[in-house]
Amino acid sequence: ALLCGCFTFSTQPQSEPLKPQTNTSASQEVKNIEAFFEAYMAKYNHYISQNEFKSQPYLYHDSIMVMSSSVKPYVIDAEAFYVQTQRFLDNLEKQGVRRIDWDDVNIKILDKNLAMSSNTAVRYDENNAVFNRVGVTFMLRKQESEWRITSFTVHDEGGVIKL
């Protein structure tokens, strides 16, 4: 289970009703994160099809926290995680996975430099049949105007949060 506590503070006096806030930059950041996840999947699919792991786009913060139902939380540096990711993708390919796509990407901007995304990944075999579906929930932080993954958890697709 993924627990996330989010707090919102208002500087408006308590006697006034809260006014809805529109933030066009937040909608632009959602588009930026959507593009980030498209590039993420393109990078992984390129590796599966070409056995070449491109250095760009850079996806992860310097250190990442990873956890799942079967793996206790741990922190790993980005370079070591890329090596681990290649082994993970190699294993998927050996099982018959030939392509991975996002079925849905649900993004919530938490602050100017923080976001959360809860996505469903669909893995396909060589016949383009669904191999399996998994949920992945990410925490992201903007670093030098680029979004980076700071932590994620792989889980059952039923755990995907519609943000």
Side-chain angles (χ1 to χ4, degrees), residues 88-147:
F88 169 76
L89 294 171
D90 288 340
N91 187 45
L92 284 179
E93 187 177 10
K94 286 177 188 170
Q95 294 177 49
V97 172
R98 296 297 176 263
R99 178 174 59 90
I100 310 168
D101 288 327
W102 296 120
D103 183 44
D104 62 351
V105 175
N106 303 283
I107 299 164
K108 174 70 176 172
I109 303 297
L110 304 174
D111 200 344
K112 66 181 181 178
N113 293 323
L114 301 172
M116 179 178 181
S117 186
S118 193
N119 308 346
T120 304
V122 183
R123 299 168 179 160
Y124 297 92
D125 66 16
E126 61 193 18
N127 298 317
N128 210 29
V130 173
F131 178 81
N132 69 4
R133 300 169 61 87
V134 297
V136 190
T137 299
F138 301 90
M139 296 301 295
L140 300 104
R141 183 174 187 278
K142 193 190 303 183
Q143 177 178 319
E144 298 173 10
S145 76
E146 297 288 330
W147 288 99

Side-chain angles (χ1 to χ4, degrees), residues 25-39 107 109 140 142 145-147:
S25 66
S27 64
Q28 182 57 51
E29 291 302 344
V30 167
K31 290 177 185 174
N32 293 343
I33 294 170
E34 288 171 343
F36 171 88
F37 280 114
E38 286 176 23
I107 299 164
I109 303 297
L140 300 104
K142 193 190 303 183
S145 76
E146 297 288 330
W147 288 99

Side-chain angles (χ1 to χ4, degrees), residues 29-100:
E29 291 302 344
V30 167
K31 290 177 185 174
N32 293 343
I33 294 170
E34 288 171 343
F36 171 88
F37 280 114
E38 286 176 23
Y40 171 111
M41 201 55 80
K43 180 176 185 163
Y44 281 24
N45 283 318
H46 179 81
Y47 181 79
I48 290 170
S49 66
Q50 305 296 316
N51 201 31
E52 174 192 21
F53 206 72
K54 293 183 174 184
S55 62
Q56 295 294 321
Y58 199 75
L59 303 173
Y60 300 101
H61 200 271
D62 295 337
S63 61
I64 311 132
M65 175 174 271
V66 181
M67 65 180 148
S68 72
S69 294
S70 60
V71 177
K72 292 195 292 189
Y74 65 94
V75 176
I76 186 171
D77 70 70
E79 294 306 316
F81 187 71
Y82 277 119
V83 172
Q84 184 175 315
T85 299
Q86 289 176 43
R87 281 188 255 142
F88 169 76
L89 294 171
D90 288 340
N91 187 45
L92 284 179
E93 187 177 10
K94 286 177 188 170
Q95 294 177 49
V97 172
R98 296 297 176 263
R99 178 174 59 90
I100 310 168

